[in-house]
Amino acid sequence: MTLKQSYGIGELAREFDVTTRTIRFYEDQGLLTPRRRGQTRIYSPADRVALKLILRGKRLGFSLAESGDLIRLYQPTGDNRQQLGALLEKIEEKRTQLQQQLVDIQIMQQDLDAAEERARQALKELEESDV
Amino acid sequence: MTLKQSYGIGELAREFDVTTRTIRFYEDQGLLTPRRRGQTRIYSPADRVALKLILRGKRLGFSLAESGDLIRLYQPTGDNRQQLGALLEKIEEKRTQLQQQLVDIQIMQQDLDAAEERARQALKELEESDV
DNA sequence: GGGGAAGTTTACGTTAACGTAAAGTGGCCT
DNA sequence: AGGCCACTTTACGTTAACGTAAACTTCCCC
């Protein structure tokens, strides 16, 4: 069995642990574009990938608008030089941002190391004082 | 010259490129605790560090409440075993979150690589088509 | 054919993180 | 004394990202 090629809204909601309201909201914001069977939404694998990207973005503090940008970076658009240039700029910009986040994470990890060390030390001293 | 040991609100605002309103708001949320001279706020180096931490947190999508937790992790608190245990748990939790963010960043960087590659390819094809 | 279960639309409500405006205080300069 | 900063408090306004509720259709099951 290869990939499923369509998904229901509840199905996606369960898989990614979000509400259907959230998924519809993302469509409202133009981030998802399911087709319809009757009035029921049918999601493509591309929609599923987009949703994944949105949630990944959220974990990094991206706004929905920013995730929208990322999604569009991904869609092969028959573009002219102008647009392609702007696109390359956006990519570079995001790259810089991710770099900064990497630095931030490293500093925080060091902070956590220090905090843990102090906590363990405090615990140790408690142990030693009540024989 | 060692470190400055007190800062005005405007001074901090300029240094970190935030408004004074923002700094006062953080105090309102219990994240900063400046002393007063008259009714004017005077910030300590510890306040300055806390502010730095908050802004770093923001870049990673942390809420002010989460950053508040982090600040408290940093303050040496005469704690009992209960609290120290809880503290260690919180630290571990944050560590897990940072790990996830690292993974997210790596995936996004790869996505950006791919997007850039496609853009450059599209540009190349445009160049070749208009001799 | 009655009743879930899962889908839909419409619309008002909510929270976080500030922005913005108004009105006042204190110091310093000329 | 007048004026201009930089600071203060109070309070209402705003945006993003959904939550929540109501009222409706569709399909399936027994």
Side-chain angles (χ1 to χ4, degrees):
Chain A
M1 168 187 141
T2 162
L3 259 251
K4 264 194 95 167
Q5 85 262 25
S6 80
Y7 309 85
I9 191 170
E11 194 175 353
L12 287 181
R14 274 187 303 278
E15 176 176 2
F16 294 108
D17 194 33
V18 296
T19 68
T20 59
R21 171 68 172 97
T22 294
I23 295 181
R24 289 193 197 99
F25 178 72
Y26 292 162
E27 177 180 356
D28 222 64
Q29 302 305 108
L31 305 179
L32 300 177
T33 53
R35 63 181 202 279
R36 301 281 185 133
R37 182 166 52 207
Q39 82 170 351
T40 301
R41 279 165 254 251
I42 310 285
Y43 296 87
S44 72
D47 286 320
R48 185 170 166 282
V49 167
L51 179 52
K52 228 171 172 173
L53 199 150
I54 295 169
L55 299 177
R56 180 153 51 232
K58 283 203 63 178
R59 288 195 298 272
L60 292 174
F62 287 30
S63 70
L64 294 186
E66 286 178 304
S67 292
D69 288 349
L70 290 182
I71 291 175
R72 263 166 264 129
L73 293 191
Y74 229 49
Q75 281 161 2
T77 158
D79 263 1
N80 58 31
R81 245 148 308 202
Q82 286 276 338
Q83 311 255 341
L84 282 173
L87 193 139
L88 284 175
E89 276 184 43
K90 277 216 166 192
I91 291 179
E92 190 51 28
E93 192 183 315
K94 284 297 164 192
R95 231 193 266 285
T96 308
Q97 185 182 345
L98 291 181
Q99 277 298 336
Q100 176 63 52
Q101 290 189 291
L102 267 181
V103 172
D104 287 332
I105 289 181
Q106 285 165 14
I107 297 181
M108 280 212 180
Q109 285 180 332
Q110 290 173 20
D111 285 359
L112 288 184
D113 289 347
E116 178 168 1
E117 176 60 22
R118 280 185 299 104
R120 294 209 180 283
Q121 192 58 32
L123 259 181
K124 205 168 162 189
E125 283 167 17
L126 278 182
E127 302 294 330
E128 284 169 5
S129 69
D130 60 15
V131 202
Chain B
M1 170 188 139
T2 162
L3 257 253
K4 261 193 98 168
Q5 84 262 26
S6 81
Y7 309 85
I9 191 170
E11 193 176 354
L12 287 182
R14 274 188 303 278
E15 176 175 2
F16 294 110
D17 193 34
V18 297
T19 68
T20 58
R21 171 69 172 95
T22 295
I23 296 182
R24 290 194 197 97
F25 179 73
Y26 292 162
E27 177 179 356
D28 222 64
Q29 300 308 106
L31 305 180
L32 300 176
T33 53
R35 64 182 202 278
R36 301 279 185 135
R37 183 168 50 207
Q39 83 171 350
T40 301
R41 277 164 256 251
I42 310 285
Y43 296 88
S44 72
D47 285 321
R48 186 170 166 281
V49 168
L51 180 53
K52 228 170 171 173
L53 199 151
I54 294 169
L55 299 177
R56 180 154 50 232
K58 284 204 61 177
R59 288 196 297 272
L60 292 174
F62 287 30
S63 71
L64 294 186
E66 287 178 303
S67 292
D69 287 352
L70 290 183
I71 292 175
R72 263 165 266 128
L73 291 192
Y74 229 50
Q75 282 160 2
T77 158
D79 263 1
N80 57 32
R81 245 148 308 201
Q82 286 276 337
Q83 310 255 342
L84 283 174
L87 193 139
L88 284 174
E89 276 185 44
K90 278 217 164 192
I91 290 180
E92 189 51 29
E93 191 184 317
K94 284 297 163 192
R95 232 194 266 284
T96 308
Q97 185 183 344
L98 290 180
Q99 278 297 336
Q100 176 64 51
Q101 289 189 291
L102 267 181
V103 172
D104 287 331
I105 288 180
Q106 285 165 14
I107 296 181
M108 280 212 180
Q109 285 180 332
Q110 291 173 21
D111 285 359
L112 287 183
D113 289 347
E116 178 168 1
E117 174 61 23
R118 280 185 299 103
R120 293 207 180 283
Q121 190 58 32
L123 259 180
K124 204 168 163 189
E125 283 167 17
L126 277 182
E127 303 292 330
E128 285 167 6
S129 70
D130 60 14
V131 201

